Amino acid sequence: LVGSEMCIRDRNINTLNYLQTIKRERLLSKDEIRQLCDITEDANASEQEKIGAYLLLDNKISAEIHFEKLTAQEQENFKQFPISAFWN
């Protein structure tokens, strides 16, 4: 990845990690929801990042649509991430 894309990816992952810990404790604020929406609309965001954002937004249908775009191996890997607990 090019440097700026790597920074965006790192920022998205850090945001998802932070907000999933917040969501386990309380409802997300409007600003936090906006951050997640930004990830879903980011053309440089990976499918996995978009899935994570949709899960935190409680939009399981969109998460499933993006999940289906992953390879079988990527799907198995994603299921191991803590954020996948929000599918339940």
Side-chain angles (χ1 to χ4, degrees):
L1 293 173
V2 179
S4 62
E5 287 182 31
M6 184 65 82
C7 288
I8 291 169
R9 174 126 332 137
D10 288 346
R11 186 181 70 228
N12 287 346
I13 291 170
N14 289 339
T15 298
L16 290 169
N17 286 336
Y18 173 71
L19 292 178
Q20 71 178 296
T21 61
I22 295 298
K23 186 169 174 102
R24 287 184 171 97
E25 300 293 321
R26 62 166 172 80
L27 295 175
L28 297 176
S29 70
K30 185 176 181 179
D31 182 60
E32 292 163 341
I33 291 169
R34 184 175 291 117
Q35 291 177 60
L36 292 170
C37 289
D38 288 345
I39 293 172
T40 66
E41 296 170 359
D42 181 355
N44 293 316
S46 71
E47 291 299 326
Q48 293 179 347
E49 292 166 350
K50 290 179 181 184
I51 295 164
Y54 281 123
L55 288 175
L56 294 177
L57 290 167
D58 295 321
N59 187 338
K60 292 184 171 108
I61 299 296
S62 292
E64 287 176 19
I65 289 168
H66 287 273
F67 187 77
E68 291 169 359
K69 294 178 182 181
L70 300 178
T71 66
Q73 183 61 51
E74 289 170 329
Q75 289 178 357
E76 287 305 311
N77 291 342
F78 189 87
K79 291 175 185 177
Q80 303 306 311
F81 297 153
I83 201 165
S84 67
F86 287 97
W87 231 307
N88 300 328

